[in-house]
Amino acid sequence: MRKVYSLVSLTKNRESKDAVLSLNIKQIQYPEQTREFDSRLTKTGRRSLSHSISHSSTDSNSSGGSDAENPEDVVSPRDMQQINSTGNRDFCIKNIKLAGFGRREIELAEDEMTALMALRKAAQGEKPLAAAKIVGCTHVTAQTAVLFETLMVLGAQCRWAACNIYSTQDEVAAALAEQDFPVFAWKGESEDDFWWCIDRCVNVEGWEPNMILDDGGDMTHWIYKKYPHLFKKVKGIVEESITGIHRLHHLSKAGRLCVPAINVNDSVTKQKFDNLYCCRESILDSLKKTADIMFGGKQVAVCGYGEVGKGCSAALKAMGSVVYVTEIDPICALQACMDGFRLAKLGDVVRQVDMVITCTGNKNVVVREHMDLMKNGCVVCNMGRSNTEIDVNSLRTPELVWQHVRAQVDHIIWPDGKRIVLLAEALALIELFNAPEGRYKQDVYLLPKKLDEYVASLHLQTFDAHLTELTDEQAKYMGLSKYGPFKPSYYRY
């Protein structure tokens, strides 16, 4: 029997659904991390992975591959001359001809993203982002496109790149480009492509950003590294990932954070709506589409029990899977136990599980030693923006054969035949851009509780829900404003 591992790279399908309203504004100058970032530019890192996986049929370690490639997939978008119907060339995408399909996807996403659409309707007359020049690096999907276009309706000028080389929907990028939205992103970017796209967003004659919207800190890092003079005009940074927030706090502690930053990753609506509830649905959808998996009776190891891990674990358990959880934090570990999951170390269960799903935001969570022990047919995937959790580079050795199955799905075959399957944000911007001088210092801030509650109230419109209002007497008794905020900043929901 041949031993096979499947590696699947998943992204949170609704990564920037309405919870994107809780965008983080931050700046990331990396004191002790510059060396690490520099190494990522020169070594085969997480983003070069997409090139090696999506083009594994031409890789030296490949089995040769059987699926034919489209001519458009052979020619890099960087080498293609594309123009939209208005004569605009300020974009770089896979294929502008996909615009019609992408527009239909965006329109469908609008129906699901009631909070953003409500904000668009309520604030479009005021144009609270007039004169804002936002440069962003997030996922480029139908859901995030609703955000991008909302920012423009609210008066902003934008330029955008993708934070993840796997998650870009090429048809959506085409729809944005057709509407004269400067977007530089396509699925399957190489490491060099990734940084080139970011540079195209920033290095523009006659245009300088004054706001940054980041998912992971790469845009902020690039500006800090290549164009530090631009920070003189930047009013703030919005950051929506845990990785980026960690970097911001390092900068703040070192006294090197030169603009205000808002952490929306830890806002309640982002944590619960985006990380927990959306991932609870998208994990099943992603695995079904990429690997066609039956979940009942399967044994699954979920690495990490933060909000993303909680959502994934709950979904898999509901489908009849036996779920093991790995955790480093005793509080999250206790939550997993109280929720009925088995707490274990990955090394203790890796031989028996059918799937391993990483949700930590860390690096080298699943390494070659783990994958050597996995059973035939084990599915390995990452749930999130970063590819560093799975040490894919360790699999690119002469003794292993890569067999490309379809987009974002590869089989890695061991010498004995074993194979594994490898599966490959807006109110905060308004707050920072319009804040009076001096309100925010050069530090990292949580999204104000008042705005967090406003985001939640926008979502409630979807459910035809009706909030109870405090009477004047009740508000006075509780010491609260009738209009919020209703909980102190330290309250944990």
Side-chain angles (χ1 to χ4, degrees):
M1 172 175 285
R2 307 188 77 195
K3 174 180 179 182
V4 182
Y5 290 94
S6 300
L7 187 59
V8 184
S9 173
L10 305 180
T11 57
K12 292 177 280 189
N13 272 354
R14 306 190 179 193
E15 176 81 21
S16 296
K17 252 196 129 160
D18 292 350
V20 176
L21 289 172
S22 310
L23 298 176
N24 297 333
I25 298 187
K26 61 180 183 184
Q27 151 143 7
I28 305 178
Q29 299 178 349
Y30 307 85
E32 297 301 323
Q33 298 179 358
T34 303
R35 184 177 304 171
E36 178 182 303
F37 268 104
D38 290 343
S39 68
R40 289 168 56 196
L41 299 179
T42 57
K43 296 181 180 179
T44 304
R46 55 177 183 159
R47 295 185 174 85
S48 59
L49 172 61
S50 98
H51 181 76
S52 61
I53 289 181
S54 62
H55 296 80
S56 59
S57 60
T58 61
D59 192 283
S60 60
N61 298 329
S62 167
S63 62
S66 59
D67 45 339
E69 293 184 349
N70 294 325
E72 293 169 350
D73 293 330
V74 176
V75 180
S76 170
R78 292 167 61 175
D79 300 325
M80 297 166 59
Q81 296 294 325
Q82 298 191 69
I83 185 171
N84 69 7
S85 61
T86 65
N88 193 342
R89 299 177 183 270
D90 190 19
F91 61 88
C92 190
I93 59 172
K94 179 76 76 176
N95 187 352
I96 190 65
K97 295 178 181 178
L98 300 174
F101 178 35
R103 178 51 53 188
R104 290 191 292 273
E105 289 202 356
I106 293 172
E107 290 171 353
L108 288 172
E110 289 176 347
D111 292 336
E112 288 289 315
M113 303 181 68
T114 53
L116 270 176
M117 298 307 291
L119 176 64
R120 186 185 296 188
K121 182 178 180 180
Q124 62 181 349
E126 303 173 15
K127 302 290 183 185
L129 290 176
K133 297 181 178 180
I134 304 170
V135 65
C137 184
T138 67
H139 295 274
V140 178
T141 65
Q143 290 75 32
T144 58
V146 179
L147 167 68
F148 307 159
E149 295 186 338
T150 297
L151 296 177
M152 296 190 73
V153 168
L154 300 185
Q157 298 178 32
C158 301
R159 299 181 68 82
W160 229 267
C163 73
N164 187 303
I165 46 108
Y166 296 118
S167 65
T168 297
Q169 292 177 268
D170 290 325
E171 66 276 13
V172 171
L176 290 168
E178 177 60 28
Q179 294 297 313
D180 294 336
F181 185 96
V183 57
F184 303 86
W186 60 91
K187 181 179 290 186
E189 296 171 11
S190 68
E191 176 98 2
D192 184 62
D193 292 335
F194 175 83
W195 295 110
W196 180 87
C197 288
I198 287 180
D199 192 74
R200 284 293 306 272
C201 291
V202 180
N203 187 14
V204 186
E205 184 177 355
W207 193 92
E208 294 184 351
N210 53 25
M211 299 291 293
I212 299 172
L213 173 55
D214 227 344
D215 186 340
D218 292 316
M219 178 64 74
T220 306
H221 163 70
W222 189 253
I223 296 175
Y224 172 65
K225 181 181 175 66
K226 296 290 186 179
Y227 310 101
H229 64 280
L230 294 179
F231 282 118
K232 294 178 181 179
K233 293 187 177 181
V234 172
K235 291 190 174 184
I237 307 167
V238 170
E239 175 57 48
E240 71 162 43
S241 78
I242 189 170
T243 303
I245 297 306
H246 284 322
R247 292 168 176 166
L248 285 174
H249 281 297
H250 283 305
L251 289 173
S252 181
K253 289 178 181 178
R256 301 187 63 187
L257 185 61
C258 61
V259 298
I262 286 187
N263 164 10
V264 295
N265 181 73
D266 293 319
S267 65
V268 177
T269 43
K270 171 67 164 62
Q271 284 288 314
K272 298 300 183 184
F273 191 91
D274 188 21
N275 294 358
L276 175 60
Y277 301 128
C278 287
C279 289
R280 190 172 64 187
E281 297 191 20
S282 63
I283 180 65
L284 301 180
D285 179 58
S286 300
L287 285 171
K288 279 288 187 184
K289 286 180 177 177
T290 53
D292 194 22
I293 293 172
M294 287 287 292
F295 298 103
K298 291 292 196 304
Q299 297 191 59
V300 185
V302 176
C303 302
Y305 202 67
E307 297 298 333
V308 174
K310 288 180 174 71
C312 293
S313 299
L316 292 163
K317 182 181 179 182
M319 293 298 292
S321 298
V322 178
V323 180
Y324 299 90
V325 171
T326 74
E327 246 303 337
I328 61 169
D329 186 326
I331 295 177
C332 291
L334 179 59
Q335 288 179 312
C337 292
M338 296 300 291
D339 289 339
F341 298 106
R342 292 283 302 279
L343 189 70
K345 294 183 177 180
L346 183 58
D348 294 338
V349 298
V350 72
R351 294 176 184 269
Q352 67 197 60
V353 296
D354 301 289
M355 286 180 273
V356 178
I357 302 170
T358 58
C359 313
T360 69
N362 208 330
K363 63 184 295 186
N364 294 337
V365 176
V366 178
V367 296
R368 176 64 181 270
E369 289 76 11
H370 292 131
M371 291 182 277
D372 283 338
L373 296 174
M374 291 175 182
K375 67 182 184 181
N376 185 52
C378 185
V379 174
V380 186
C381 63
N382 169 62
M383 187 67 179
R385 64 168 296 280
S386 175
N387 316 319
T388 59
E389 299 189 48
I390 302 168
D391 184 13
V392 177
N393 288 334
S394 69
L395 298 175
R396 306 205 68 78
T397 55
E399 74 274 13
L400 300 183
V401 176
W402 284 65
Q403 186 179 77
H404 185 56
V405 180
R406 54 180 175 271
Q408 301 189 17
V409 181
D410 287 84
H411 286 183
I412 296 89
I413 307 172
W414 265 245
D416 64 356
K418 179 188 83 171
R419 97 176 34 195
I420 67 171
V421 183
L422 181 63
L423 309 179
E425 294 153 338
L427 286 178
L429 286 168
I430 295 173
E431 170 69 14
L432 268 183
F433 187 72
N434 293 286
E437 185 175 354
R439 174 181 292 178
Y440 293 106
K441 310 298 182 183
Q442 295 170 356
D443 205 348
V444 183
Y445 296 87
L446 287 172
L447 189 72
K449 180 71 70 175
K450 182 76 172 178
L451 290 182
D452 221 346
E453 292 178 350
Y454 178 58
V455 173
S457 70
L458 291 176
H459 281 295
L460 286 175
Q461 297 176 19
T462 307
F463 304 100
D464 190 28
H466 303 278
L467 284 172
T468 300
E469 296 182 5
L470 291 175
T471 65
D472 291 338
E473 184 179 4
Q474 288 172 327
K476 183 178 180 180
Y477 179 78
M478 295 293 293
L480 298 173
S481 164
K482 290 179 61 175
Y483 309 104
F486 300 100
K487 298 287 191 298
S489 58
Y490 55 80
Y491 183 84
R492 292 293 175 263
Y493 290 81

